[in-house]
Amino acid sequence: QVQLVESGGGLVQAGGSLRLSCAASGMTFSINDMGWYRQAPGKQRELVAGISSGRRTNYADSVKGRFTISRDNAKNTVYLQMNSLKPEDTAVYYCNFYSPGYIGYDYWGQGTQVTVSS
């Protein structure tokens, strides 16, 4: 079965950087489009960035120019490099499959907490 394990979160000051990793198993990783999502307290889960199997990328307007999604198919891992972090980026970050406009996947990993202090 599919398993997604996110890591790399932490506490960082505004303006700082973090790199998140998501190790995937139980799937043929290289052929799947993957995405990073986040959920802040009291808010719905939202797409942050997506990357296709062909490495085309898509970003939420709120993170364009600050975040970069990438993938390493040899390691079955997708990354999210987050720079110039803002307090409003504080959330639990998750990875999952990616399909534009769809977020209703049944399975989600445990996520990784990102907290940005002002």
Side-chain angles (χ1 to χ4, degrees):
Q1 66 276 20
V2 171
Q3 188 172 16
L4 302 165
V5 180
E6 301 92 345
S7 62
L11 173 63
V12 63
Q13 288 189 333
S17 297
L18 284 172
R19 187 193 194 205
L20 306 184
S21 299
C22 172
S25 60
M27 68 169 85
T28 306
F29 180 80
S30 62
I31 66 172
N32 282 290
D33 299 346
M34 299 298 296
W36 279 99
Y37 305 80
R38 67 187 180 187
Q39 187 167 20
K43 295 188 177 181
Q44 290 188 335
R45 191 172 288 159
E46 62 177 359
L47 174 70
V48 175
I51 184 165
S52 73
S53 58
R55 302 180 190 273
R56 286 178 296 177
T57 58
N58 182 41
Y59 297 93
D61 287 343
S62 59
V63 306
K64 280 181 182 176
R66 300 189 297 123
F67 290 10
T68 302
I69 188 171
S70 61
R71 64 191 298 160
D72 185 336
N73 290 340
K75 296 182 178 179
N76 285 6
T77 300
V78 59
Y79 303 98
L80 186 68
Q81 177 67 43
M82 305 187 296
N83 298 329
S84 302
L85 282 161
K86 304 176 180 180
E88 51 263 45
D89 294 319
T90 295
V92 179
Y93 284 71
Y94 304 86
C95 71
N96 213 320
F97 297 107
Y98 166 60
S99 180
Y102 183 74
I103 200 167
Y105 301 103
D106 291 333
Y107 168 78
W108 293 89
Q110 85 288 349
T112 186
Q113 175 71 49
V114 172
T115 304
V116 184
S117 63
S118 58

